mmCIF file with all atom_site columns, all heavy atoms in Angstrom:
data_model
loop_
_atom_site.group_PDB
_atom_site.id
_atom_site.type_symbol
_atom_site.label_atom_id
_atom_site.label_alt_id
_atom_site.label_comp_id
_atom_site.label_asym_id
_atom_site.label_entity_id
_atom_site.label_seq_id
_atom_site.pdbx_PDB_ins_code
_atom_site.Cartn_x
_atom_site.Cartn_y
_atom_site.Cartn_z
_atom_site.occupancy
_atom_site.B_iso_or_equiv
_atom_site.pdbx_formal_charge
_atom_site.auth_seq_id
_atom_site.auth_comp_id
_atom_site.auth_asym_id
_atom_site.auth_atom_id
_atom_site.pdbx_PDB_model_num
ATOM 1   N N   . ALA A 1 14 ? 55.496 172.588 123.047 1.00 43.00 ? 234 ALA A N   1
ATOM 2   C CA  . ALA A 1 14 ? 56.005 171.462 122.261 1.00 43.00 ? 234 ALA A CA  1
ATOM 3   C C   . ALA A 1 14 ? 55.159 171.182 121.028 1.00 43.00 ? 234 ALA A C   1
ATOM 4   O O   . ALA A 1 14 ? 55.670 170.705 120.025 1.00 43.00 ? 234 ALA A O   1
ATOM 5   C CB  . ALA A 1 14 ? 56.072 170.205 123.140 1.00 43.00 ? 234 ALA A CB  1
ATOM 6   N N   . GLU A 1 15 ? 53.863 171.467 121.102 1.00 45.00 ? 235 GLU A N   1
ATOM 7   C CA  . GLU A 1 15 ? 53.001 171.162 119.967 1.00 45.00 ? 235 GLU A CA  1
ATOM 8   C C   . GLU A 1 15 ? 52.506 172.429 119.273 1.00 45.00 ? 235 GLU A C   1
ATOM 9   O O   . GLU A 1 15 ? 51.610 172.385 118.449 1.00 45.00 ? 235 GLU A O   1
ATOM 10  C CB  . GLU A 1 15 ? 51.812 170.314 120.436 1.00 45.00 ? 235 GLU A CB  1
ATOM 11  C CG  . GLU A 1 15 ? 52.245 168.953 120.999 1.00 45.00 ? 235 GLU A CG  1
ATOM 12  C CD  . GLU A 1 15 ? 51.055 168.128 121.429 1.00 45.00 ? 235 GLU A CD  1
ATOM 13  O OE1 . GLU A 1 15 ? 49.913 168.590 121.254 1.00 45.00 ? 235 GLU A OE1 1
ATOM 14  O OE2 . GLU A 1 15 ? 51.257 167.031 121.946 1.00 45.00 ? 235 GLU A OE2 1
ATOM 15  N N   . ALA A 1 16 ? 53.085 173.575 119.642 1.00 45.00 ? 236 ALA A N   1
ATOM 16  C CA  . ALA A 1 16 ? 52.652 174.827 119.049 1.00 45.00 ? 236 ALA A CA  1
ATOM 17  C C   . ALA A 1 16 ? 53.568 175.224 117.902 1.00 45.00 ? 236 ALA A C   1
ATOM 18  O O   . ALA A 1 16 ? 54.756 174.961 117.929 1.00 45.00 ? 236 ALA A O   1
ATOM 19  C CB  . ALA A 1 16 ? 52.639 175.922 120.116 1.00 45.00 ? 236 ALA A CB  1
ATOM 20  N N   . GLY A 1 17 ? 52.995 175.889 116.879 1.00 47.00 ? 237 GLY A N   1
ATOM 21  C CA  . GLY A 1 17 ? 53.817 176.417 115.807 1.00 47.00 ? 237 GLY A CA  1
ATOM 22  C C   . GLY A 1 17 ? 54.128 175.406 114.733 1.00 47.00 ? 237 GLY A C   1
ATOM 23  O O   . GLY A 1 17 ? 53.867 174.214 114.860 1.00 47.00 ? 237 GLY A O   1
ATOM 24  N N   . GLU A 1 18 ? 54.681 175.906 113.664 1.00 59.00 ? 238 GLU A N   1
ATOM 25  C CA  . GLU A 1 18 ? 55.045 175.065 112.544 1.00 59.00 ? 238 GLU A CA  1
ATOM 26  C C   . GLU A 1 18 ? 56.315 174.289 112.836 1.00 59.00 ? 238 GLU A C   1
ATOM 27  O O   . GLU A 1 18 ? 57.191 174.758 113.568 1.00 59.00 ? 238 GLU A O   1
ATOM 28  C CB  . GLU A 1 18 ? 55.239 175.926 111.296 1.00 59.00 ? 238 GLU A CB  1
ATOM 29  C CG  . GLU A 1 18 ? 53.977 176.637 110.818 1.00 59.00 ? 238 GLU A CG  1
ATOM 30  C CD  . GLU A 1 18 ? 52.908 175.665 110.350 1.00 59.00 ? 238 GLU A CD  1
ATOM 31  O OE1 . GLU A 1 18 ? 53.276 174.583 109.865 1.00 59.00 ? 238 GLU A OE1 1
ATOM 32  O OE2 . GLU A 1 18 ? 51.712 175.986 110.495 1.00 59.00 ? 238 GLU A OE2 1
ATOM 33  N N   . ALA A 1 19 ? 56.427 173.113 112.233 1.00 61.00 ? 239 ALA A N   1
ATOM 34  C CA  . ALA A 1 19 ? 57.597 172.268 112.468 1.00 61.00 ? 239 ALA A CA  1
ATOM 35  C C   . ALA A 1 19 ? 58.877 172.965 112.050 1.00 61.00 ? 239 ALA A C   1
ATOM 36  O O   . ALA A 1 19 ? 59.897 172.882 112.731 1.00 61.00 ? 239 ALA A O   1
ATOM 37  C CB  . ALA A 1 19 ? 57.434 170.945 111.723 1.00 61.00 ? 239 ALA A CB  1
ATOM 38  N N   . ALA A 1 20 ? 58.831 173.674 110.922 1.00 61.00 ? 240 ALA A N   1
ATOM 39  C CA  . ALA A 1 20 ? 60.042 174.329 110.419 1.00 61.00 ? 240 ALA A CA  1
ATOM 40  C C   . ALA A 1 20 ? 60.522 175.413 111.367 1.00 61.00 ? 240 ALA A C   1
ATOM 41  O O   . ALA A 1 20 ? 61.728 175.526 111.642 1.00 61.00 ? 240 ALA A O   1
ATOM 42  C CB  . ALA A 1 20 ? 59.775 174.911 109.041 1.00 61.00 ? 240 ALA A CB  1
ATOM 43  N N   . SER A 1 21 ? 59.599 176.240 111.876 1.00 70.00 ? 241 SER A N   1
ATOM 44  C CA  . SER A 1 21 ? 60.005 177.313 112.784 1.00 70.00 ? 241 SER A CA  1
ATOM 45  C C   . SER A 1 21 ? 60.507 176.742 114.108 1.00 70.00 ? 241 SER A C   1
ATOM 46  O O   . SER A 1 21 ? 61.445 177.266 114.703 1.00 70.00 ? 241 SER A O   1
ATOM 47  C CB  . SER A 1 21 ? 58.843 178.275 113.028 1.00 70.00 ? 241 SER A CB  1
ATOM 48  O OG  . SER A 1 21 ? 57.742 177.609 113.613 1.00 70.00 ? 241 SER A OG  1
ATOM 49  N N   . ARG A 1 22 ? 59.880 175.651 114.547 1.00 73.00 ? 242 ARG A N   1
ATOM 50  C CA  . ARG A 1 22 ? 60.341 175.021 115.783 1.00 73.00 ? 242 ARG A CA  1
ATOM 51  C C   . ARG A 1 22 ? 61.740 174.438 115.598 1.00 73.00 ? 242 ARG A C   1
ATOM 52  O O   . ARG A 1 22 ? 62.591 174.557 116.471 1.00 73.00 ? 242 ARG A O   1
ATOM 53  C CB  . ARG A 1 22 ? 59.363 173.923 116.218 1.00 73.00 ? 242 ARG A CB  1
ATOM 54  C CG  . ARG A 1 22 ? 59.818 173.193 117.481 1.00 73.00 ? 242 ARG A CG  1
ATOM 55  C CD  . ARG A 1 22 ? 58.751 172.277 118.033 1.00 73.00 ? 242 ARG A CD  1
ATOM 56  N NE  . ARG A 1 22 ? 59.269 171.452 119.095 1.00 73.00 ? 242 ARG A NE  1
ATOM 57  C CZ  . ARG A 1 22 ? 59.475 171.853 120.331 1.00 73.00 ? 242 ARG A CZ  1
ATOM 58  N NH1 . ARG A 1 22 ? 59.208 173.098 120.671 1.00 73.00 ? 242 ARG A NH1 1
ATOM 59  N NH2 . ARG A 1 22 ? 59.947 171.020 121.249 1.00 73.00 ? 242 ARG A NH2 1
ATOM 60  N N   . ALA A 1 23 ? 61.990 173.832 114.444 1.00 76.00 ? 243 ALA A N   1
ATOM 61  C CA  . ALA A 1 23 ? 63.313 173.277 114.175 1.00 76.00 ? 243 ALA A CA  1
ATOM 62  C C   . ALA A 1 23 ? 64.365 174.377 114.171 1.00 76.00 ? 243 ALA A C   1
ATOM 63  O O   . ALA A 1 23 ? 65.471 174.205 114.697 1.00 76.00 ? 243 ALA A O   1
ATOM 64  C CB  . ALA A 1 23 ? 63.311 172.539 112.849 1.00 76.00 ? 243 ALA A CB  1
ATOM 65  N N   . ALA A 1 24 ? 64.016 175.530 113.576 1.00 80.00 ? 244 ALA A N   1
ATOM 66  C CA  . ALA A 1 24 ? 64.959 176.650 113.553 1.00 80.00 ? 244 ALA A CA  1
ATOM 67  C C   . ALA A 1 24 ? 65.230 177.164 114.962 1.00 80.00 ? 244 ALA A C   1
ATOM 68  O O   . ALA A 1 24 ? 66.369 177.492 115.308 1.00 80.00 ? 244 ALA A O   1
ATOM 69  C CB  . ALA A 1 24 ? 64.413 177.768 112.673 1.00 80.00 ? 244 ALA A CB  1
ATOM 70  N N   . LEU A 1 25 ? 64.180 177.223 115.786 1.00 85.00 ? 245 LEU A N   1
ATOM 71  C CA  . LEU A 1 25 ? 64.349 177.678 117.164 1.00 85.00 ? 245 LEU A CA  1
ATOM 72  C C   . LEU A 1 25 ? 65.235 176.721 117.953 1.00 85.00 ? 245 LEU A C   1
ATOM 73  O O   . LEU A 1 25 ? 66.120 177.143 118.715 1.00 85.00 ? 245 LEU A O   1
ATOM 74  C CB  . LEU A 1 25 ? 62.975 177.812 117.828 1.00 85.00 ? 245 LEU A CB  1
ATOM 75  C CG  . LEU A 1 25 ? 62.958 178.325 119.273 1.00 85.00 ? 245 LEU A CG  1
ATOM 76  C CD1 . LEU A 1 25 ? 63.579 179.707 119.359 1.00 85.00 ? 245 LEU A CD1 1
ATOM 77  C CD2 . LEU A 1 25 ? 61.531 178.342 119.806 1.00 85.00 ? 245 LEU A CD2 1
ATOM 78  N N   . LEU A 1 26 ? 65.011 175.419 117.775 1.00 86.00 ? 246 LEU A N   1
ATOM 79  C CA  . LEU A 1 26 ? 65.837 174.423 118.452 1.00 86.00 ? 246 LEU A CA  1
ATOM 80  C C   . LEU A 1 26 ? 67.295 174.536 118.013 1.00 86.00 ? 246 LEU A C   1
ATOM 81  O O   . LEU A 1 26 ? 68.216 174.414 118.825 1.00 86.00 ? 246 LEU A O   1
ATOM 82  C CB  . LEU A 1 26 ? 65.309 173.016 118.171 1.00 86.00 ? 246 LEU A CB  1
ATOM 83  C CG  . LEU A 1 26 ? 64.010 172.636 118.874 1.00 86.00 ? 246 LEU A CG  1
ATOM 84  C CD1 . LEU A 1 26 ? 63.467 171.324 118.317 1.00 86.00 ? 246 LEU A CD1 1
ATOM 85  C CD2 . LEU A 1 26 ? 64.219 172.521 120.375 1.00 86.00 ? 246 LEU A CD2 1
ATOM 86  N N   . ASP A 1 27 ? 67.508 174.772 116.713 1.00 88.00 ? 247 ASP A N   1
ATOM 87  C CA  . ASP A 1 27 ? 68.873 174.914 116.216 1.00 88.00 ? 247 ASP A CA  1
ATOM 88  C C   . ASP A 1 27 ? 69.566 176.103 116.875 1.00 88.00 ? 247 ASP A C   1
ATOM 89  O O   . ASP A 1 27 ? 70.704 175.985 117.334 1.00 88.00 ? 247 ASP A O   1
ATOM 90  C CB  . ASP A 1 27 ? 68.857 175.089 114.697 1.00 88.00 ? 247 ASP A CB  1
ATOM 91  C CG  . ASP A 1 27 ? 70.228 175.443 114.154 1.00 88.00 ? 247 ASP A CG  1
ATOM 92  O OD1 . ASP A 1 27 ? 71.154 174.635 114.350 1.00 88.00 ? 247 ASP A OD1 1
ATOM 93  O OD2 . ASP A 1 27 ? 70.379 176.517 113.548 1.00 88.00 ? 247 ASP A OD2 1
ATOM 94  N N   . ILE A 1 28 ? 68.881 177.252 116.930 1.00 91.00 ? 248 ILE A N   1
ATOM 95  C CA  . ILE A 1 28 ? 69.499 178.448 117.503 1.00 91.00 ? 248 ILE A CA  1
ATOM 96  C C   . ILE A 1 28 ? 69.778 178.265 118.991 1.00 91.00 ? 248 ILE A C   1
ATOM 97  O O   . ILE A 1 28 ? 70.874 178.557 119.483 1.00 91.00 ? 248 ILE A O   1
ATOM 98  C CB  . ILE A 1 28 ? 68.595 179.676 117.283 1.00 91.00 ? 248 ILE A CB  1
ATOM 99  C CG1 . ILE A 1 28 ? 68.624 180.090 115.809 1.00 91.00 ? 248 ILE A CG1 1
ATOM 100 C CG2 . ILE A 1 28 ? 69.029 180.839 118.160 1.00 91.00 ? 248 ILE A CG2 1
ATOM 101 C CD1 . ILE A 1 28 ? 69.941 180.673 115.343 1.00 91.00 ? 248 ILE A CD1 1
ATOM 102 N N   . THR A 1 29 ? 68.795 177.746 119.743 1.00 92.00 ? 249 THR A N   1
ATOM 103 C CA  . THR A 1 29 ? 68.976 177.630 121.193 1.00 92.00 ? 249 THR A CA  1
ATOM 104 C C   . THR A 1 29 ? 70.014 176.572 121.544 1.00 92.00 ? 249 THR A C   1
ATOM 105 O O   . THR A 1 29 ? 70.932 176.825 122.333 1.00 92.00 ? 249 THR A O   1
ATOM 106 C CB  . THR A 1 29 ? 67.641 177.307 121.878 1.00 92.00 ? 249 THR A CB  1
ATOM 107 O OG1 . THR A 1 29 ? 67.054 176.148 121.260 1.00 92.00 ? 249 THR A OG1 1
ATOM 108 C CG2 . THR A 1 29 ? 66.678 178.468 121.775 1.00 92.00 ? 249 THR A CG2 1
ATOM 109 N N   . HIS A 1 30 ? 69.874 175.389 120.956 1.00 92.00 ? 250 HIS A N   1
ATOM 110 C CA  . HIS A 1 30 ? 70.821 174.319 121.271 1.00 92.00 ? 250 HIS A CA  1
ATOM 111 C C   . HIS A 1 30 ? 72.212 174.637 120.730 1.00 92.00 ? 250 HIS A C   1
ATOM 112 O O   . HIS A 1 30 ? 73.226 174.380 121.402 1.00 92.00 ? 250 HIS A O   1
ATOM 113 C CB  . HIS A 1 30 ? 70.322 172.985 120.708 1.00 92.00 ? 250 HIS A CB  1
ATOM 114 C CG  . HIS A 1 30 ? 69.197 172.391 121.500 1.00 92.00 ? 250 HIS A CG  1
ATOM 115 N ND1 . HIS A 1 30 ? 67.948 172.953 121.552 1.00 92.00 ? 250 HIS A ND1 1
ATOM 116 C CD2 . HIS A 1 30 ? 69.140 171.278 122.278 1.00 92.00 ? 250 HIS A CD2 1
ATOM 117 C CE1 . HIS A 1 30 ? 67.174 172.219 122.324 1.00 92.00 ? 250 HIS A CE1 1
ATOM 118 N NE2 . HIS A 1 30 ? 67.863 171.196 122.774 1.00 92.00 ? 250 HIS A NE2 1
ATOM 119 N N   . GLY A 1 31 ? 72.264 175.198 119.521 1.00 93.00 ? 251 GLY A N   1
ATOM 120 C CA  . GLY A 1 31 ? 73.559 175.548 118.948 1.00 93.00 ? 251 GLY A CA  1
ATOM 121 C C   . GLY A 1 31 ? 74.271 176.604 119.758 1.00 93.00 ? 251 GLY A C   1
ATOM 122 O O   . GLY A 1 31 ? 75.488 176.520 119.996 1.00 93.00 ? 251 GLY A O   1
ATOM 123 N N   . THR A 1 32 ? 73.528 177.604 120.213 1.00 94.00 ? 252 THR A N   1
ATOM 124 C CA  . THR A 1 32 ? 74.133 178.658 121.029 1.00 94.00 ? 252 THR A CA  1
ATOM 125 C C   . THR A 1 32 ? 74.665 178.094 122.333 1.00 94.00 ? 252 THR A C   1
ATOM 126 O O   . THR A 1 32 ? 75.773 178.439 122.778 1.00 94.00 ? 252 THR A O   1
ATOM 127 C CB  . THR A 1 32 ? 73.102 179.763 121.313 1.00 94.00 ? 252 THR A CB  1
ATOM 128 O OG1 . THR A 1 32 ? 72.687 180.346 120.073 1.00 94.00 ? 252 THR A OG1 1
ATOM 129 C CG2 . THR A 1 32 ? 73.687 180.844 122.192 1.00 94.00 ? 252 THR A CG2 1
ATOM 130 N N   . LEU A 1 33 ? 73.895 177.210 122.968 1.00 93.00 ? 253 LEU A N   1
ATOM 131 C CA  . LEU A 1 33 ? 74.343 176.654 124.245 1.00 93.00 ? 253 LEU A CA  1
ATOM 132 C C   . LEU A 1 33 ? 75.511 175.686 124.071 1.00 93.00 ? 253 LEU A C   1
ATOM 133 O O   . LEU A 1 33 ? 76.347 175.565 124.971 1.00 93.00 ? 253 LEU A O   1
ATOM 134 C CB  . LEU A 1 33 ? 73.180 175.970 124.957 1.00 93.00 ? 253 LEU A CB  1
ATOM 135 C CG  . LEU A 1 33 ? 72.186 176.945 125.588 1.00 93.00 ? 253 LEU A CG  1
ATOM 136 C CD1 . LEU A 1 33 ? 70.946 176.229 126.072 1.00 93.00 ? 253 LEU A CD1 1
ATOM 137 C CD2 . LEU A 1 33 ? 72.841 177.700 126.747 1.00 93.00 ? 253 LEU A CD2 1
ATOM 138 N N   . ARG A 1 34 ? 75.575 175.002 122.935 1.00 92.00 ? 254 ARG A N   1
ATOM 139 C CA  . ARG A 1 34 ? 76.753 174.161 122.697 1.00 92.00 ? 254 ARG A CA  1
ATOM 140 C C   . ARG A 1 34 ? 78.010 175.028 122.604 1.00 92.00 ? 254 ARG A C   1
ATOM 141 O O   . ARG A 1 34 ? 79.106 174.565 122.912 1.00 92.00 ? 254 ARG A O   1
ATOM 142 C CB  . ARG A 1 34 ? 76.575 173.343 121.416 1.00 92.00 ? 254 ARG A CB  1
ATOM 143 C CG  . ARG A 1 34 ? 75.560 172.216 121.532 1.00 92.00 ? 254 ARG A CG  1
ATOM 144 C CD  . ARG A 1 34 ? 75.591 171.265 120.346 1.00 92.00 ? 254 ARG A CD  1
ATOM 145 N NE  . ARG A 1 34 ? 74.488 170.309 120.443 1.00 92.00 ? 254 ARG A NE  1
ATOM 146 C CZ  . ARG A 1 34 ? 73.375 170.363 119.733 1.00 92.00 ? 254 ARG A CZ  1
ATOM 147 N NH1 . ARG A 1 34 ? 73.235 171.316 118.818 1.00 92.00 ? 254 ARG A NH1 1
ATOM 148 N NH2 . ARG A 1 34 ? 72.414 169.474 119.895 1.00 92.00 ? 254 ARG A NH2 1
ATOM 149 N N   . ARG A 1 35 ? 77.865 176.264 122.158 1.00 92.00 ? 255 ARG A N   1
ATOM 150 C CA  . ARG A 1 35 ? 79.007 177.175 122.001 1.00 92.00 ? 255 ARG A CA  1
ATOM 151 C C   . ARG A 1 35 ? 78.980 178.293 123.038 1.00 92.00 ? 255 ARG A C   1
ATOM 152 O O   . ARG A 1 35 ? 79.571 179.351 122.832 1.00 92.00 ? 255 ARG A O   1
ATOM 153 C CB  . ARG A 1 35 ? 78.985 177.767 120.592 1.00 92.00 ? 255 ARG A CB  1
ATOM 154 C CG  . ARG A 1 35 ? 79.077 176.726 119.492 1.00 92.00 ? 255 ARG A CG  1
ATOM 155 C CD  . ARG A 1 35 ? 79.285 177.373 118.155 1.00 92.00 ? 255 ARG A CD  1
ATOM 156 N NE  . ARG A 1 35 ? 79.420 176.374 117.107 1.00 92.00 ? 255 ARG A NE  1
ATOM 157 C CZ  . ARG A 1 35 ? 80.043 176.589 115.955 1.00 92.00 ? 255 ARG A CZ  1
ATOM 158 N NH1 . ARG A 1 35 ? 80.608 177.756 115.724 1.00 92.00 ? 255 ARG A NH1 1
ATOM 159 N NH2 . ARG A 1 35 ? 80.129 175.652 115.044 1.00 92.00 ? 255 ARG A NH2 1
ATOM 160 N N   . TYR A 1 36 ? 78.309 178.032 124.143 1.00 94.00 ? 256 TYR A N   1
ATOM 161 C CA  . TYR A 1 36 ? 78.076 179.078 125.145 1.00 94.00 ? 256 TYR A CA  1
ATOM 162 C C   . TYR A 1 36 ? 79.381 179.670 125.667 1.00 94.00 ? 256 TYR A C   1
ATOM 163 O O   . TYR A 1 36 ? 79.511 180.893 125.799 1.00 94.00 ? 256 TYR A O   1
ATOM 164 C CB  . TYR A 1 36 ? 77.254 178.480 126.279 1.00 94.00 ? 256 TYR A CB  1
ATOM 165 C CG  . TYR A 1 36 ? 76.750 179.457 127.305 1.00 94.00 ? 256 TYR A CG  1
ATOM 166 C CD1 . TYR A 1 36 ? 76.025 180.583 126.927 1.00 94.00 ? 256 TYR A CD1 1
ATOM 167 C CD2 . TYR A 1 36 ? 76.964 179.235 128.661 1.00 94.00 ? 256 TYR A CD2 1
ATOM 168 C CE1 . TYR A 1 36 ? 75.535 181.460 127.882 1.00 94.00 ? 256 TYR A CE1 1
ATOM 169 C CE2 . TYR A 1 36 ? 76.476 180.103 129.613 1.00 94.00 ? 256 TYR A CE2 1
ATOM 170 C CZ  . TYR A 1 36 ? 75.761 181.217 129.223 1.00 94.00 ? 256 TYR A CZ  1
ATOM 171 O OH  . TYR A 1 36 ? 75.281 182.079 130.166 1.00 94.00 ? 256 TYR A OH  1
ATOM 172 N N   . GLY A 1 37 ? 80.346 178.822 125.978 1.00 94.00 ? 257 GLY A N   1
ATOM 173 C CA  . GLY A 1 37 ? 81.623 179.341 126.470 1.00 94.00 ? 257 GLY A CA  1
ATOM 174 C C   . GLY A 1 37 ? 82.284 180.250 125.457 1.00 94.00 ? 257 GLY A C   1
ATOM 175 O O   . GLY A 1 37 ? 82.894 181.272 125.806 1.00 94.00 ? 257 GLY A O   1
#
Side-chain angles (χ1 to χ4, degrees):
E235 297 181 2
E238 296 295 330
S241 60
R242 178 170 171 78
L245 182 60
L246 287 170
D247 172 60
I248 288 291
T249 53
H250 285 68
T252 298
L253 285 170
R254 288 191 187 104
R255 300 190 178 204
Y256 188 53

